[in-house]
Amino acid sequence: MATWTPDPSFYPSPRMAMQAAPERLAYVAMLNVGDGPDALGVVDVDPSSASYGRLLRRVDMPNVGDELHHFGWNACSSALCPYAPHPHVERRYLIVPGLRSSRIHILDTKPDPADPKIVKIIEPEELAARANYSRPHTMHCGPEGIYVSALGNGKGDGGGPGGVFLMDHETFEVLGQWEIDRGPQFLAYDVWWHLGQDTLITSEWGTPDMIEDGLNPELLLGAKYGHQVHFWDLRKRRHRQTIDLGPEYQLALELRPAHDPTKAHGFMNAVVNLSDLSSSIWLWHREDDGSRSGRWAMRKVIDIPAEPADPDLLPPLLKGFKAVPPLVTDIDLSLDDRWLYVSCWGTGEMRRYDVSDPFQPRLTGSVRLGGIVGRSRHPGGDADGGTLNGTLNGGPQMVEVSRDGKRVYFTNSLYRSWDDQFYPDGIKSWMVKLDADPDGGLTIDERFFLRFDDEFRGHQIRLEGGDASSDSYCYP
């Protein structure tokens, strides 16, 4: 729906977005591991509220088996970009895909943001017919529409190629496949861009038949999961460059470009190194002085080692290694491009790095909650608020940072079949909040410990009015 003035939650620059009022609500994708449908949760994140840290509303989906995963807004600050301006659309609708069902739900957050309503559903048959894709995974609001990455082809056979399709950000019609020339790209996962560099970037996980039944040890040890990053001409929609991390670096996942459009760099996580079970963070950057004509390069800038562990405490998948891998499954970059947050889902650690010099990150803070072996407690949790004698399982997974960079939220579930492999006693799901200290430290907010009902697991978080991984900007 169009308005006469730009949405007040659209900001020309990340600097202006950081000055906005704090969020009061968070939206959370909730996977149902029982017999019912998945849901979108609404959480009170206003510290002055009597219901702070509680689930205010649960919007159940109409079907069972969606596996809600990564969702996003229909429109955001990129609508102010000069080459494709749409200043009169609203950040009003949440686009919520089912990764397993290929069904896409449209939820309206007006008139009451605490009580969103489902207003449209796009069935998998329509997605396949219009875009020839399935398994929508990640979506971002772009200047001219909604970009969505998809893991599978439109045949429904579990195979590839995966890729990117566009949706209209007002009618929500699937417009079609984005790529004009995909080059060698076949696997898909995340999609992001540098609007100021006319560059789109994609990463790799696997095709649906590689991931839906869990992590396949044969495929992993055979280095068959994604380990490449692809760079595209954003306007021409053509593949321009592939960078291979090396087959030992498996599962090249989350892309976090600098928010300042004058900067030509960003960060990506590789979940596991086959040689030592470590995780790593990679920096992409221009090879030359930053001009748009230069090729892209990638450099490993952070290594996080596996930690020795008693095999008796490890799930069957890891017993032979006698170690718990960090399993970095998500990262997030603050709007000022200074702080990088790294979720170690395996060891139960959330790390904070100062990336003022992106080529030399510096670890400044760390907290531990959950973990395959550690099972670290939350200081504000109830005695039975976790799973085993008050301890927590799962670990820091999907992380979201507030626009002003002062608050960090995260949940502990990755993907149902993968949860069950690494945490075979079952994920008892929770959402927590950290306070980001100005000096680089991290402090657990003892007042904020949300335990979801046992049949639900929390995944992606979106914040009211935008957050550190929702928006992109065309002005510095």
Short mmCIF file of all heavy atoms in Angstrom, two decimals, residues 197 262-265 285-297 359:
data_model
loop_
_atom_site.label_atom_id
_atom_site.label_comp_id
_atom_site.label_asym_id
_atom_site.label_seq_id
_atom_site.Cartn_x
_atom_site.Cartn_y
_atom_site.Cartn_z
N GLN A 197 28.25 -0.65 -5.42
CA GLN A 197 29.23 -1.30 -6.30
C GLN A 197 28.56 -2.05 -7.44
O GLN A 197 29.24 -2.71 -8.23
CB GLN A 197 30.07 -2.29 -5.48
CG GLN A 197 30.73 -1.72 -4.25
CD GLN A 197 31.87 -0.79 -4.59
OE1 GLN A 197 32.59 -1.01 -5.55
NE2 GLN A 197 32.04 0.27 -3.80
N THR A 262 29.88 3.17 0.41
CA THR A 262 31.18 3.52 -0.16
C THR A 262 32.24 2.46 0.14
O THR A 262 33.34 2.51 -0.42
CB THR A 262 31.67 4.87 0.39
OG1 THR A 262 31.96 4.74 1.79
CG2 THR A 262 30.63 5.96 0.19
N LYS A 263 31.92 1.49 1.01
CA LYS A 263 32.87 0.44 1.36
C LYS A 263 32.62 -0.79 0.49
O LYS A 263 31.47 -1.17 0.26
CB LYS A 263 32.74 0.07 2.83
CG LYS A 263 33.08 1.20 3.78
CD LYS A 263 32.86 0.78 5.23
CE LYS A 263 33.19 1.90 6.20
NZ LYS A 263 32.92 1.50 7.62
N ALA A 264 33.69 -1.41 0.06
CA ALA A 264 33.58 -2.58 -0.82
C ALA A 264 34.16 -3.80 -0.13
O ALA A 264 35.15 -4.38 -0.57
CB ALA A 264 34.30 -2.31 -2.14
N HIS A 265 33.55 -4.19 0.98
CA HIS A 265 33.98 -5.41 1.66
C HIS A 265 32.81 -5.98 2.45
O HIS A 265 31.78 -5.33 2.65
CB HIS A 265 35.18 -5.15 2.58
CG HIS A 265 34.84 -4.41 3.84
ND1 HIS A 265 34.95 -3.05 3.96
CD2 HIS A 265 34.37 -4.84 5.04
CE1 HIS A 265 34.59 -2.67 5.17
NE2 HIS A 265 34.22 -3.74 5.85
N HIS A 285 36.75 -8.50 -0.62
CA HIS A 285 37.16 -7.12 -0.85
C HIS A 285 37.61 -6.97 -2.30
O HIS A 285 37.86 -7.96 -3.00
CB HIS A 285 38.32 -6.75 0.09
CG HIS A 285 39.54 -7.61 -0.08
ND1 HIS A 285 40.60 -7.26 -0.88
CD2 HIS A 285 39.85 -8.85 0.44
CE1 HIS A 285 41.52 -8.22 -0.85
NE2 HIS A 285 41.08 -9.19 -0.05
N ARG A 286 37.75 -5.74 -2.74
CA ARG A 286 38.27 -5.49 -4.08
C ARG A 286 39.78 -5.74 -4.11
O ARG A 286 40.49 -5.41 -3.14
CB ARG A 286 37.99 -4.05 -4.50
CG ARG A 286 36.53 -3.74 -4.77
CD ARG A 286 36.06 -4.32 -6.09
NE ARG A 286 34.78 -3.76 -6.50
CZ ARG A 286 34.10 -4.17 -7.57
NH1 ARG A 286 34.59 -5.12 -8.33
NH2 ARG A 286 32.95 -3.62 -7.88
N GLU A 287 40.26 -6.30 -5.21
CA GLU A 287 41.69 -6.54 -5.32
C GLU A 287 42.48 -5.25 -5.50
O GLU A 287 43.63 -5.16 -5.12
CB GLU A 287 41.97 -7.46 -6.50
CG GLU A 287 41.61 -8.91 -6.24
CD GLU A 287 42.01 -9.80 -7.39
OE1 GLU A 287 41.91 -9.35 -8.56
OE2 GLU A 287 42.41 -10.95 -7.14
N ASP A 288 41.83 -4.23 -6.09
CA ASP A 288 42.56 -2.98 -6.37
C ASP A 288 42.22 -1.94 -5.31
O ASP A 288 42.02 -2.26 -4.14
CB ASP A 288 42.22 -2.50 -7.78
CG ASP A 288 40.71 -2.22 -7.94
OD1 ASP A 288 39.95 -2.40 -6.96
OD2 ASP A 288 40.30 -1.84 -9.03
N ASP A 289 42.13 -0.68 -5.69
CA ASP A 289 41.93 0.40 -4.73
C ASP A 289 40.46 0.61 -4.35
O ASP A 289 40.13 1.60 -3.72
CB ASP A 289 42.51 1.70 -5.28
CG ASP A 289 41.82 2.13 -6.58
OD1 ASP A 289 40.93 1.39 -7.07
OD2 ASP A 289 42.17 3.19 -7.12
N GLY A 290 39.59 -0.28 -4.74
CA GLY A 290 38.18 -0.14 -4.40
C GLY A 290 37.32 0.34 -5.53
O GLY A 290 36.11 0.48 -5.37
N SER A 291 37.90 0.60 -6.70
CA SER A 291 37.10 1.05 -7.83
C SER A 291 36.19 -0.07 -8.30
O SER A 291 36.46 -1.26 -8.08
CB SER A 291 38.00 1.51 -8.98
OG SER A 291 38.67 0.41 -9.52
N ARG A 292 35.13 0.28 -8.99
CA ARG A 292 34.15 -0.70 -9.42
C ARG A 292 34.68 -1.60 -10.53
O ARG A 292 34.05 -2.59 -10.89
CB ARG A 292 32.88 0.00 -9.87
CG ARG A 292 32.03 0.49 -8.73
CD ARG A 292 30.93 1.43 -9.18
NE ARG A 292 30.19 0.87 -10.30
CZ ARG A 292 29.25 1.54 -10.95
NH1 ARG A 292 28.97 2.79 -10.60
NH2 ARG A 292 28.60 0.99 -11.95
N SER A 293 35.83 -1.29 -11.08
CA SER A 293 36.37 -2.08 -12.19
C SER A 293 37.20 -3.26 -11.71
O SER A 293 37.51 -4.16 -12.49
CB SER A 293 37.23 -1.19 -13.09
OG SER A 293 38.32 -0.66 -12.35
N GLY A 294 37.56 -3.30 -10.42
CA GLY A 294 38.45 -4.33 -9.93
C GLY A 294 37.74 -5.65 -9.66
O GLY A 294 36.53 -5.69 -9.44
N ARG A 295 38.49 -6.74 -9.69
CA ARG A 295 37.95 -8.04 -9.35
C ARG A 295 37.90 -8.18 -7.83
O ARG A 295 38.54 -7.45 -7.09
CB ARG A 295 38.81 -9.15 -9.97
CG ARG A 295 38.63 -9.25 -11.47
CD ARG A 295 39.53 -10.29 -12.07
NE ARG A 295 39.24 -11.65 -11.61
CZ ARG A 295 38.25 -12.41 -12.07
NH1 ARG A 295 37.43 -11.94 -13.00
NH2 ARG A 295 38.07 -13.65 -11.62
N TRP A 296 37.11 -9.16 -7.40
CA TRP A 296 36.95 -9.41 -5.98
C TRP A 296 37.93 -10.47 -5.51
O TRP A 296 38.32 -11.37 -6.28
CB TRP A 296 35.52 -9.85 -5.68
CG TRP A 296 34.50 -8.78 -5.96
CD1 TRP A 296 33.80 -8.60 -7.12
CD2 TRP A 296 34.07 -7.75 -5.07
NE1 TRP A 296 32.96 -7.51 -7.02
CE2 TRP A 296 33.10 -6.98 -5.77
CE3 TRP A 296 34.41 -7.40 -3.77
CZ2 TRP A 296 32.48 -5.88 -5.18
CZ3 TRP A 296 33.77 -6.31 -3.18
CH2 TRP A 296 32.83 -5.57 -3.89
N ALA A 297 38.31 -10.37 -4.26
CA ALA A 297 39.19 -11.35 -3.64
C ALA A 297 38.62 -11.71 -2.27
O ALA A 297 37.81 -10.97 -1.71
CB ALA A 297 40.61 -10.79 -3.49
N PHE A 359 40.64 -6.33 7.84
CA PHE A 359 41.67 -7.32 7.54
C PHE A 359 42.29 -7.91 8.81
O PHE A 359 42.96 -8.94 8.74
CB PHE A 359 42.77 -6.69 6.68
CG PHE A 359 42.31 -6.36 5.27
CD1 PHE A 359 41.77 -5.12 4.98
CD2 PHE A 359 42.41 -7.30 4.26
CE1 PHE A 359 41.34 -4.83 3.69
CE2 PHE A 359 41.99 -7.02 2.97
CZ PHE A 359 41.45 -5.78 2.69
#
